[in-house]
Amino acid sequence: MSRNQSSSTDKTMSTWQLASLITSTLIGVGVLTLPRTSTERLAEQGWMAPLAGGGIALAATLLIAWLSRRYPGLTFIQYSEVIWGSRKSRWLGKLISLPWVLLYLAHLYIGTAITSRLFGEVVVTAVLRETPIEAIIITMFCLALFLCLHDVEVVSRVNELLFLLILFPVLIIGLLSFQKADWNQILPLFSASFPDVFKGAVETAFTYQGYEVMLIFFAFAQPVARKSQAGFIGIAVAIGVYTLITMSGIAVFGVDEMQKLTWPTLEIVKTTQMPGLVLERLESAFLGVWVAAVFTTISNTYYAFNLGLRQFFGRGMVFQRIMSLLLMFPLFYLALIPQNIVQIFRVSRMSGYIGLVVGLGLPLLYLAVSLMRRQGNRVKEKGKVAR
């Protein structure tokens, strides 16, 4: 067994840690724009978009878990050469799978740049207005770089630690925002047509992107870990959070007002008051939690990219540390290419369509080829392999 394959046999993640990693990756920058994007097509029924879009994300995650169970202990980079090659010509499998592997790695890399740029825009426009956006982005990259210098076990523990810190404040703020809700603004119910719901689901599915990192991280699950259960929990929590925030935005502002707001969720928080005035400016606390959420999104994506790159070249941890540092500089300039917020949203939408191809299309393709070639193992959730 090669050095890069042996590294992925160190199974360290439990079911809870896998679920925490999925949710922490999904909840990020998109939480600030979701109420607006959800109501663009579905208007008052915009709260249906996170539910339908979450269904797409859930289906993709379960497919990734299924694929991982057929190749236990291997990441997407490693079982690509197995699926497309043979025992006698593994190099041929690596050559045939090269376009898919490069597409996956490029998506992770570009997605990291887009997320970091959106993060910088929010911080500069809402909080640190005199601070250069370059300083904001490079600070987040340094934090992500620090995580890339450690093993996967550190990544799982960081996500597990920050999971509850992110989840509970967001849920509390979402519930408190209903104090000024006008429930007539979500009426009429269920009047949207199926084509509109489908289109809204596809567009909202962009917000859930990040689950594709599990093509890497599922390989590090413990033998007793239930990957499908972790995927279901992780996506279900994100669906609950996104639906709650979207519904509160519609009920508080209404559809027409929502379309005029660049960061509607942040405006929702500004109108929310804590009982007893414990916190007079709730948006400050919310932004602190949101920074932690964006950190996990950027760090997990950048870590998955560098780990995949390391396995593609068959190198060790030293290679990952060096490359994560070197590739941070072009990533920084890539994040600064869009000239304004309109271009950023346009690039983000294009990346969303590519993300659907990577997160949903590639697992379907790989599963089809694997089943036709009768490869892989039928692995039960508790780690028992049936030959």
Side-chain angles (χ1 to χ4, degrees):
M1 185 176 291
S2 62
R3 178 171 42 182
N4 65 317
Q5 289 178 331
S6 63
S7 64
S8 64
T9 58
D10 300 329
K11 301 178 176 62
T12 60
M13 294 191 186
S14 63
T15 303
W16 171 252
Q17 288 175 329
L18 290 171
S20 301
L21 192 145
I22 294 173
T23 304
S24 299
T25 305
L26 264 59
I27 299 178
V29 175
V31 74
L32 295 185
T33 59
L34 181 63
R36 174 171 49 80
T37 57
S38 299
T39 55
E40 283 180 359
R41 190 176 298 274
L42 295 178
E44 290 83 2
Q45 284 76 51
W47 56 270
M48 298 174 60
L51 292 174
I56 297 176
L58 178 59
T61 306
L62 294 180
L63 285 174
I64 294 172
W66 184 11
L67 189 60
S68 179
R69 291 199 304 272
R70 294 184 66 85
Y71 301 94
L74 299 180
T75 67
F76 172 77
I77 308 300
Q78 294 170 332
Y79 58 66
S80 288
E81 61 185 61
V82 178
I83 290 177
W84 297 101
S86 63
R87 295 181 179 179
K88 296 182 180 180
S89 57
R90 296 289 288 271
W91 65 269
L92 181 62
K94 193 167 186 177
L95 181 63
I96 296 176
S97 66
L98 182 62
W100 312 120
V101 171
L102 292 181
L103 175 64
Y104 177 68
L105 293 178
H107 171 66
L108 292 179
Y109 194 69
I110 296 173
T112 304
I114 295 173
T115 304
S116 61
R117 176 60 185 272
L118 285 170
F119 166 74
E121 290 289 340
V122 175
V123 173
V124 169
T125 57
V127 186
L128 305 176
R129 300 184 179 181
E130 302 297 327
T131 304
I133 191 172
E134 294 83 358
I136 303 297
I137 295 176
I138 199 65
T139 301
M140 181 59 73
F141 281 166
C142 289
L143 293 175
L145 173 63
F146 180 77
L147 200 61
C148 291
L149 302 179
H150 297 81
D151 294 328
V152 175
E153 183 179 2
V154 176
V155 178
S156 64
R157 293 186 181 277
V158 168
N159 282 270
E160 183 181 17
L161 177 65
L162 294 178
F163 173 73
L164 297 179
L165 177 65
I166 296 170
L167 180 61
F168 282 119
V170 173
L171 289 177
I172 292 173
I173 291 173
L175 293 173
L176 289 176
S177 64
F178 287 121
Q179 295 173 356
K180 298 184 178 181
D182 180 5
W183 296 107
N184 292 321
Q185 304 205 74
I186 67 171
L187 299 176
L189 296 174
F190 309 111
S191 62
S193 63
F194 178 78
D196 285 338
V197 173
F198 177 76
K199 293 177 182 178
V202 172
E203 294 174 357
T204 308
F206 301 163
T207 309
Y208 288 92
Q209 287 187 2
Y211 56 82
E212 56 269 23
V213 300
M214 302 314 294
L215 286 166
I216 296 291
F217 288 116
F218 267 148
F220 298 89
Q222 296 174 357
V224 295
R226 297 176 178 268
K227 299 175 184 177
S228 296
Q229 181 179 339
F232 181 83
I233 294 173
I235 300 296
V237 171
I239 291 175
V241 171
Y242 284 154
T243 304
L244 176 66
I245 291 176
T246 303
M247 186 173 291
S248 64
I250 298 173
V252 172
F253 290 113
V255 175
D256 295 335
E257 184 67 23
M258 191 80 66
Q259 298 305 311
K260 301 176 183 178
L261 303 175
T262 306
W263 316 110
T265 304
L266 191 58
E267 299 300 325
I268 295 172
V269 177
K270 291 180 180 179
T271 63
T272 304
Q273 292 182 350
M274 182 75 72
L277 294 178
V278 177
L279 290 175
E280 186 174 354
R281 299 196 60 177
L282 202 58
E283 66 269 22
S284 299
F286 173 79
L287 285 172
V289 174
W290 177 75
V291 169
V294 177
F295 162 71
T296 54
T297 301
I298 293 176
S299 298
N300 294 344
T301 307
Y302 194 49
Y303 192 98
F305 165 76
N306 282 284
L307 179 55
L309 192 67
R310 157 192 163 190
Q311 292 181 337
F312 178 75
F313 287 104
R315 315 299 287 183
M317 190 64 189
V318 175
F319 177 85
Q320 176 178 322
R321 292 169 178 169
I322 295 175
M323 294 308 297
S324 60
L325 174 61
L326 295 179
L327 293 176
M328 187 176 68
F329 297 101
L331 183 67
F332 173 71
Y333 288 104
L334 185 64
L336 296 176
I337 289 178
Q339 298 300 310
N340 51 55
I341 195 67
V342 176
Q343 290 186 11
I344 297 172
F345 286 147
R346 187 181 298 120
V347 173
S348 179
R349 182 179 291 268
M350 293 174 56
S351 176
Y353 285 111
I354 297 175
L356 283 180
V357 174
V358 172
L360 184 60
L362 287 187
L364 279 173
L365 175 63
Y366 272 55
L367 275 172
V369 174
S370 178
L371 291 172
M372 286 190 296
R373 299 190 65 184
R374 297 181 180 180
Q375 289 182 340
N377 300 320
R378 293 185 297 109
V379 183
K380 297 181 180 180
E381 286 289 359
K382 289 189 177 181
K384 296 180 181 179
V385 180
R387 299 289 181 183

